[in-house]
Amino acid sequence: MSEEIQVMDSNTEVLLEKGKKDGADTIWDRKAAMKTPCGFGEKGICCRICAMGPCRISPTKDKGAQKGLCGATADTIVARNFARMVAAGTAAHSDHARDIAHVLYMASEDGNYKVKDAGKLMNLAKEWDIKTENRDLYDIAHEVAETALNEFGKPFGTLKFLKRAPYQRQQVWSEQKIEPRAIDREVTSLMHSTHIGCASDPDSIFELSMRTALSDGWGGSMIGTELSDILFGTPTACATQANLGVIEKNMVNILLHGHDPSFSEMMVYASEDPELVKLAKENGADGINLVGMCCTGNEITMRHGVRIAGNFYQQELAIITGAIEAAIVDVQCIFPALADLSDLYHTKFIATSPKAKITGAEYIEFVEEKALETCKGIIKEAVLNFKNRDMENVLIPDNKSHANVGYSVETIIQCLDRVVNSYTDEFNTVKPLADVIWAGVLRGAAGIVGCNNPKVRYDESHITIMKELIKNDVIVVASGCAAQAAAKAGLMTMEAKELCGRGLKEVCERVGIPPVLHMGSCVDISRILDIVSRVAKEKDLDNRDLPVVGAAPEWMSEKAVAIGTYVVASGIDTFLGITPQVTGSEYFVDLLTNRVEENVGAKFYFEENPTECARKILERIEEKREKLGI
Ligand code: XCC
Ligand code: SF4
């Protein structure tokens, strides 16, 4: 197997060795067993939308089938397959947001869920014209929640958050007829348009995809972020640690993996219960150690500094340490493989969401009404499982890095306020950020986001691109598993300023921030849209004019396709380090990587070589600067 191992950090290597001894089957093994992937699927030219098919289009022009049974061409099939990924990704983010809105709707003074950030609630209520004077806080919260829930299915109008974009951007959306209406409507409508015998024009299918994707970025994701902040607090800067070394030998280790903060927040709260801590000690442990993974890891590190065990690719490795008493999951990005893997160890693998029951997992349903009780019960199971751990077969690698996390837009602005006197006289704005970009101290900014993907060396694309950018005075904001890669590589420390160019180093010193800022989970890419739009508005420009890019160097999920599409549709170029399954249509590739720019002012770049990708990003940033004359 060792030739197949594509690893970057030594933790991975030692645990893969251990896994092999323990008889574990990991993604590395499964990747090797998969051999060559299906060429039709890889190019996006297999259609199984109806039962006359599957139809596969020959990748060679003038040879073999050039059309499906219904007459659909490669261009149509590729566009439809892409669109359906956008629909699924949008559905996932937005359904997560809907759950949060329901939780806000049930929040009360004496219940499990309370309003933590009343200021943010008031601001949102005002933004949405909801009456606030002489009203009970929870009445306001419930009306805000209900208004958010209506964004999913309202029969008329467009999404409320679109107004947060620069007006030039809103105009582009209106001219292109891609202003999203209700979120569910866009997802449903796109599924309809891509049904057999509906849309076949690839341009139109992509326009519809952009509209649906925008209902994720400026709809579901933004609602998810805003309401989570209201309920659980807006993240503030705090210190944490990242990598598998945060698992503790003498503690009850609980791995939290998934996405929904209404679950993970309650787990954090429950894990501090003195009775449970006492029980852990009675069972021979020093205490309870909660560690996070994937976006759930991001949510709880951003708000509580809970340490990060790792990102997407490390979910199996965490269990292979032999020191996880319970791996507890809710929705999204969970390998079904964790069930069999946990059986090799004493680890209890517990699924909690009716949306994601997993074969072989123990199922304990998380019901919001009984949130605390359920979480305490789950933690108790983990604690009681400590005695079953085979201490002889524990291997916890040492590696872990320090990281500063918690950079919500509000926190970034607070940090910027520290330098207000030297650059400007206004507090509480992004003006100092815009000013340093205009002065050329920073060349620009990049949002680096997304997953891990075995098609490239694990974490290497993330880190190579980030290092290259900060060296060239481009500030990086990160979310999702990309942010966790940065945290593990030490790029979220104050010391990382030594890796930066002179300009960014000075900014880090004066503002007191690391050069790579953790902005949260993947729904929190809405925070990135927010800050970019604020900078654009500060200069009375559109997002497309700014020296700002997005990149997903190791993406894999449908959610990432929705994200990339709404980022482009928001006027921000997006660099994909993994080529999407669209290459079976030259026409569609040209649309994504070239022609779409005419319509929305931004496009996709496909570049699998991270050094080359960084070079192209820098080139594009300089091109934008030149256009601005700065
Ligand atoms: Fe999932 Fe959100 Fe991707 Fe990580 S980055 S693998 S989507 S956890 Ni969101
Ligand atoms: Fe084949 Fe057309 Fe059916 Fe797709 S929709 S499976 S191309 S007949």
Side-chain angles (χ1 to χ4, degrees), residues 391-438:
M391 289 296 182
E392 303 290 288
N393 195 26
V394 167
L395 192 161
I396 303 170
D398 302 328
N399 269 0
K400 57 182 173 228
S401 305
H402 288 280
N404 295 290
V405 299
Y407 292 97
S408 56
V409 175
E410 291 84 343
T411 300
I412 293 175
I413 289 178
Q414 257 171 32
C415 295
L416 291 171
D417 276 351
R418 294 180 191 145
V419 294
V420 155
N421 290 331
S422 26
Y423 292 113
T424 164
D425 49 14
E426 272 173 76
F427 281 96
N428 205 18
T429 71
V430 293
K431 187 163 182 294
L433 177 60
D435 286 349
V436 288
I437 294 176
W438 253 249

Side-chain angles (χ1 to χ4, degrees), residues 542-553:
D542 181 15
N543 299 337
R544 70 196 291 173
D545 304 316
L546 301 179
V548 160
V549 303

Side-chain angles (χ1 to χ4, degrees), residues 47-50 52-55 68-70 72 77 80 196:
C47 183
R48 35 167 294 279
I49 279 175
C50 89
M52 296 193 284
C55 299
L69 263 57
C70 65
I77 292 172
R80 281 197 305 219
I196 169 155

